[in-house]
Amino acid sequence: MNFDWNYIIEYMPLYEKALWLTVKLAAGGILLSIIIGLFCSIVQYYEIKILKQLVQGYIELSRNTPLLIQLFFLYYGLPKIGITISAEACAIIGLAFLGGSYMSEAFRAGIEAVSINQIEVGKSIGLSNIQLTRYIILPQAFSYSVPSFGANCIFLLKETSIFSGIAILELMNLTKDLIGMFYKTNESLFMLVIGYLIILLPLSLFLTWLERRLRYAEFGN
């Protein structure tokens, strides 16, 4: 397989720009999804009336509709009723809407793994629900949910490839455009793979390290 290295060098700046755009959109979406997921898991754990039903409805809707359909609704559907959102904002909102439900389930599983004895002890010394959540439940729940949390982050990063459906020039869309213009399929796909490796490999290694550190902290080393 003969590679046109001059082509790769020439268009590397475009891939660098697309890579940073992908990272920016993914970071925004993941951060919001963590906030949404944490809120939803707390609502479910304490069984807050009305809000619990809304959260359950949101989770079912989010998990059972494709991200591409959600993006189409935000980008093409909302302008029909007079609400116009930029493509980048749609991407972040769509990713957060999808990711929030997955993060919610990860955090909920972590919360349920916290020993009931520790919660009872906290109540016995007069801690309020807010104090229980802050000092006892959430620190341990985060430790338990790190594997699922990490898998969700990687999943959401991969989902950024869907953003090409709303004309965002991220890594996947740039690759398709360059292949269509120059027919340099091997070179373009090579740069696409390298781009995703640059993003995903360090994140995967960091999450693996974080999981081990938290486990050592929990059980001792």
Side-chain angles (χ1 to χ4, degrees), residues 40 44 52-71 73-74 93-94 96-102 105:
C40 291
Q44 288 183 303
K52 182 181 178 181
Q53 295 177 345
L54 292 175
V55 165
Q56 289 175 338
Y58 153 70
I59 290 174
E60 291 300 321
L61 176 63
S62 174
R63 290 169 68 95
N64 291 288
T65 53
L67 177 58
L68 185 60
I69 301 302
Q70 297 170 10
L71 293 176
F73 172 78
L74 292 170
I93 294 171
F97 183 81
L98 175 67
S101 60
Y102 286 91
E105 293 301 299

Side-chain angles (χ1 to χ4, degrees), residues 12-195:
M12 189 178 294
L14 288 180
Y15 274 94
E16 181 180 353
K17 184 177 179 180
L19 185 148
W20 285 114
L21 178 60
T22 301
V23 170
K24 181 178 73 173
L25 297 177
I30 290 172
L31 179 61
L32 286 177
S33 71
I34 292 171
I35 296 172
I36 294 171
L38 188 59
F39 172 78
C40 291
S41 63
I42 291 174
V43 167
Q44 288 183 303
Y45 179 75
Y46 287 109
E47 298 185 347
I48 301 174
K49 294 181 178 179
I50 302 177
L51 284 180
K52 182 181 178 181
Q53 295 177 345
L54 292 175
V55 165
Q56 289 175 338
Y58 153 70
I59 290 174
E60 291 300 321
L61 176 63
S62 174
R63 290 169 68 95
N64 291 288
T65 53
L67 177 58
L68 185 60
I69 301 302
Q70 297 170 10
L71 293 176
F72 280 174
F73 172 78
L74 292 170
Y75 191 67
Y76 298 110
L78 290 183
K80 299 295 183 181
I81 58 174
I83 302 175
T84 302
I85 307 176
S86 69
E88 292 187 7
C90 286
I92 293 174
I93 294 171
L95 201 63
F97 183 81
L98 175 67
S101 60
Y102 286 91
M103 292 297 184
S104 173
E105 293 301 299
F107 287 134
R108 183 178 63 82
I111 290 174
E112 291 179 351
V114 177
S115 171
I116 190 65
N117 292 333
Q118 296 187 48
I119 297 175
E120 293 298 330
V121 170
K123 290 180 179 180
S124 69
I125 62 176
L127 295 181
S128 65
N129 284 340
I130 293 177
Q131 290 172 322
L132 278 172
T133 303
R134 179 179 177 183
Y135 297 111
I136 296 178
I137 296 175
L138 286 186
Q140 295 181 75
F142 178 73
S143 174
Y144 289 127
S145 60
V146 163
S148 298
F149 169 80
N152 289 337
C153 287
I154 292 174
F155 162 72
L156 293 174
L157 267 166
K158 292 178 180 178
E159 286 294 291
T160 57
S161 61
I162 304 296
F163 294 165
S164 59
I166 55 173
I168 293 179
L169 199 64
E170 41 70 56
L171 286 171
M172 180 63 74
N173 201 10
L174 174 63
T175 299
K176 292 194 297 185
D177 285 352
L178 291 179
I179 291 175
M181 288 188 293
F182 303 108
Y183 300 100
K184 298 287 187 177
T185 304
N186 293 331
E187 292 84 349
S188 299
L189 291 178
F190 172 76
M191 292 300 293
L192 175 65
V193 170
I194 294 299

